[in-house]
Amino acid sequence: MKNRIIIHLFFLFLLILVSCGTSKSMRHEPDISNYNTTKPIVIKQSDTVFTSGKNSLSKNKQGLWELYAEGDPLEIGLTTGALSDSLLKKQEEIFFSRIENIVPSKFQQNLLRNFLKWYNRKLYQNVPNEYQAEIYGVSKYTSHNFDNLAKQYQLSLYLHAAHDIGHALQDLALVGCSSFAAWGEKSEDGNLILGRNFDFYVNDAFAENKIVAFLNPKEGHPFMMVTWPGMVGAVSGMNKEGLTVTINAGKSEIPLTAKTPISILTREILQYAKNIGEAISIAKKRKVFVSESIMVGSAQDNKAILIEISPEKMGVYDVPNSNQLICSNHFQSDAYKNDKRNESQIINSHSKYRFERMQELFVENPKINPQIASEILRNKEGLQNIALGYGNEKALNQLIAHHGVIFKPKEKLVWVSANPYQLGEFVCYNLDSVFKERKQEPVISFQEKNLNIAKDPFLETTAFKNYKKFRIEDHKIDLYLKNKTEISLDFIQNYQSLNPNYWVVYYKAGLYFYQKKYFLLAQENFKKALTKEITTVPDKEAIEKYLKKLKRKLR
């Protein structure tokens, strides 16, 4: 009863905050007076080809959607929204159904909605008007099914801060990415090459409609980015000047209000910078509300650096006496040398392990080329090639990636992985070819077929088939544990046989037996889990804590 009173008082306090602080932000719309407001006319040529003048959206044989859009910010937004209309609505349904799974209570959903309104009250003040205008254009094609959450434009703007908010408030490792760069003697031809896995996971359906977007804005540089319907921010991209950006999450404190989403900052860098110096200058102008490593590669400089940015400070990590750069999810610059959160991230998370694994693979591969880069991104083993179990976050390939991408900036080449994860064919694009003068003609894929990298042979193995079954059974055991349902020993044995090197299968079995007071079986499974490569220090400590409890119970 006391807890209910506290919750209701908090809710009342939140409503007061919302009413006092959010009315202006909820009414705000971007200034579109200088932009073309004409709604585009879309011609549907087939279920997978849509055109609007010189603009197009089509699905290639590998399953990637290829988007081309040009014009002022509002034109690009309206065109993108109109072309991807059905995909956009589907993506919203996928995202919000996931939120409903995480927060099933209507009361809690209402609480979350009001909190987000208050938390995002200054978001519009920290997003440049041109990107607000683009988001506004896209939002004209979003669903009305979520009008109870916010108006179309406000909701679309909020979604661009979704990663940042989850990262800041819950320290979620939604983005546990790995990236690397090589140049000079470390690159096969001496030119810069970069690779990255974007391990952003909502659910499998969220990554079904990946978009390779080629945008030709009226101001700034033409560029490409790997994205999803409704997203105008950049998480992985390269512009026509040969400048690349990718993001890796770091350890954050909880700020009191939303500021510039990281993906909007990286979009600005991608559109307006042609070298490392210009990228750093743009980053210095913006205030962010989470900690992030932005890897910037530059054809002009023929190297890569990290811009390490947080709500409190910014550091630049350069490697002047080296020809390689590796990044996971901790900071490396002097600005964070004594940062307590960063130290905790290095000690307690799986970031350092993946960092060391990339170092190990770089030693094994003296000269990096696109094929070798793809093999590093697809690597599923741990240090010294030990078996980690499939899906372990200590692996470079955690089998959850939204996409893998490889850049060769000087040549303006980029390879984007087709589904599933980074296991499908890496499809190659040449930005010089894509952005040459366009004519209204039959739409064909932009890909450079002769440069594609073949799909991972792992896709054809029994191990991968078993991993797919494991994902289904793992979800079932989570539900069993939550609902305290009876599980057969046959189910547990089959579950463990599908992914026998993964510590989680023994840990969850241990939890089940502990719930049912089968203490000897619980002890046996927890001990077995400790023989495997456990993801984080807190995970290991949790198992050791259970074993101490069991020791007392079994006396």
Side-chain angles (χ1 to χ4, degrees), residues 101-119:
N101 288 338
I102 297 170
V103 188
S105 158
K106 294 294 181 188
F107 171 75
Q108 289 175 331
Q109 287 174 14
N110 200 32
L111 193 66
L112 178 63
R113 179 171 66 248
N114 283 291
F115 172 75
L116 289 176
K117 286 179 184 176
W118 175 76
Y119 193 79

Side-chain angles (χ1 to χ4, degrees), residues 103-382:
V103 188
S105 158
K106 294 294 181 188
F107 171 75
Q108 289 175 331
Q109 287 174 14
N110 200 32
L111 193 66
L112 178 63
R113 179 171 66 248
N114 283 291
F115 172 75
L116 289 176
K117 286 179 184 176
W118 175 76
Y119 193 79
N120 284 318
R121 67 198 182 278
K122 294 184 180 178
L123 183 59
Y124 73 97
Q125 297 172 1
N126 290 277
V127 175
N129 186 72
E130 65 178 296
Y131 301 126
Q132 289 190 50
E134 189 174 330
I135 292 167
Y136 181 82
V138 173
S139 75
K140 292 298 179 184
Y141 297 89
T142 58
S143 170
H144 284 284
N145 292 345
F146 308 102
D147 287 355
N148 63 315
L149 299 174
K151 292 179 185 176
Q152 287 170 291
Y153 165 66
Q154 272 77 22
L155 191 58
S156 295
L157 188 61
Y158 289 176
L159 287 175
H160 283 80
H163 154 60
D164 305 66
I165 290 168
H167 179 26
L169 297 183
Q170 297 183 43
D171 217 12
L172 291 175
L174 286 176
V175 186
C177 310
S178 304
S179 54
F180 57 81
W183 60 93
E185 292 182 358
K186 192 64 193 172
S187 167
E188 185 176 70
D189 60 6
N191 294 331
L192 176 64
I193 180 170
L194 305 96
R196 76 94 99 253
N197 283 332
F198 185 62
D199 292 320
F200 178 80
Y201 186 77
V202 176
N203 53 30
D204 286 348
F206 189 85
E208 281 177 6
N209 292 308
K210 285 189 272 203
I211 295 177
V212 186
F214 301 93
L215 302 183
N216 195 351
K218 279 197 170 173
E219 294 184 9
H221 310 296
F223 63 93
M224 67 73 59
M225 62 183 184
V226 190
T227 186
W228 52 88
M231 176 66 161
V232 312
V235 296
S236 305
M238 179 169 72
N239 68 26
K240 201 166 177 288
E241 299 296 315
L243 183 121
T244 70
V245 293
T246 58
I247 58 173
N248 288 42
K251 192 84 168 175
S252 279
E253 70 168 6
I254 301 174
L256 292 174
T257 183
K259 296 202 176 164
T260 306
I262 287 292
S263 67
I264 295 296
L265 169 58
T266 46
R267 165 68 189 271
E268 188 175 8
I269 291 171
L270 193 58
Q271 187 172 340
Y272 288 102
K274 62 178 179 290
N275 55 42
I276 287 169
E278 291 181 3
I280 292 169
S281 296
I282 292 169
K284 284 178 177 175
K285 292 191 305 184
R286 303 292 172 202
K287 289 183 189 249
V288 300
F289 63 108
V290 293
S291 300
E292 206 91 12
S293 291
I294 304 170
M295 184 176 281
V296 178
S298 165
Q300 194 176 105
D301 300 287
N302 197 37
K303 70 172 186 178
I305 56 101
L306 296 174
I307 299 174
E308 298 180 336
I309 194 165
S310 72
E312 308 95 32
K313 55 194 169 186
M314 186 182 114
V316 174
Y317 183 62
D318 198 347
V319 281
N321 299 315
S322 178
N323 46 28
Q324 66 183 55
L325 180 63
I326 289 169
C327 179
S328 50
N329 298 104
H330 61 269
F331 292 147
Q332 302 173 61
S333 65
D334 289 341
Y336 296 90
K337 193 168 279 184
N338 300 312
D339 187 278
K340 297 296 181 190
R341 287 185 190 84
N342 192 48
E343 286 175 5
S344 172
Q345 180 81 337
I346 292 168
I347 293 166
N348 292 312
S349 77
H350 43 79
S351 179
K352 186 170 182 282
Y353 192 95
R354 284 182 287 112
F355 186 92
E356 290 173 350
R357 179 58 175 157
M358 281 187 278
Q359 286 180 316
E360 196 174 71
L361 291 171
F362 261 49
V363 170
E364 290 177 17
N365 295 281
K367 302 280 186 183
I368 308 297
N369 61 26
Q371 178 65 43
I372 290 170
S374 73
E375 290 165 6
I376 292 172
L377 294 177
R378 289 168 169 171
N379 188 273
K380 295 166 285 294
E381 288 72 44

Side-chain angles (χ1 to χ4, degrees), residues 346-526:
I346 292 168
I347 293 166
N348 292 312
S349 77
H350 43 79
S351 179
K352 186 170 182 282
Y353 192 95
R354 284 182 287 112
F355 186 92
E356 290 173 350
R357 179 58 175 157
M358 281 187 278
Q359 286 180 316
E360 196 174 71
L361 291 171
F362 261 49
V363 170
E364 290 177 17
N365 295 281
K367 302 280 186 183
I368 308 297
N369 61 26
Q371 178 65 43
I372 290 170
S374 73
E375 290 165 6
I376 292 172
L377 294 177
R378 289 168 169 171
N379 188 273
K380 295 166 285 294
E381 288 72 44
L383 291 170
Q384 299 178 336
N385 294 316
I386 67 165
L388 293 172
Y390 299 117
N392 194 319
E393 289 173 300
K394 281 188 167 179
L396 298 179
N397 179 4
Q398 301 171 23
L399 295 170
I400 61 167
H402 181 272
H403 62 265
V405 64
I406 299 163
F407 300 109
K408 286 281 286 169
K410 187 174 182 182
E411 297 85 348
K412 313 294 173 53
L413 296 176
V414 55
W415 287 260
V416 180
S417 68
N419 285 331
Y421 321 120
Q422 64 278 66
L423 300 176
E425 190 172 356
F426 269 90
V427 181
C428 183
Y429 301 96
N430 182 321
L431 266 61
D432 285 335
S433 300
V434 173
F435 289 113
K436 68 184 179 185
E437 187 179 352
R438 290 178 63 77
K439 298 172 184 173
Q440 287 178 253
E441 51 190 27
V443 177
I444 57 172
S445 176
F446 297 132
Q447 65 185 283
E448 304 284 330
K449 293 179 185 176
N450 59 320
L451 295 177
N452 289 353
I453 297 170
K455 65 182 182 180
D456 192 333
F458 177 66
L459 282 172
E460 306 303 323
T461 65
T462 301
F464 181 66
K465 291 182 178 68
N466 284 342
Y467 175 71
K468 289 198 290 185
K469 292 176 188 173
F470 158 76
R471 292 282 297 274
I472 296 166
E473 303 303 278
D474 192 53
H475 179 63
K476 284 182 190 174
I477 201 168
D478 285 342
L479 291 175
Y480 293 151
L481 289 168
K482 180 182 176 183
N483 300 323
K484 299 188 177 178
T485 313
E486 198 76 30
I487 309 175
S488 71
L489 284 175
D490 285 346
F491 173 88
I492 289 174
Q493 286 170 357
N494 178 60
Y495 168 64
Q496 292 177 336
S497 72
L498 293 171
N499 203 353
N501 293 308
Y502 193 24
W503 68 275
V504 166
V505 298
Y506 306 104
Y507 172 63
K508 289 183 179 178
L511 288 178
Y512 170 73
F513 290 128
Y514 189 88
Q515 266 186 11
K516 295 297 179 184
K517 296 184 168 51
Y518 302 148
F519 295 136
L520 281 171
L521 284 171
Q523 185 183 60
E524 179 187 325
N525 278 275
F526 285 136

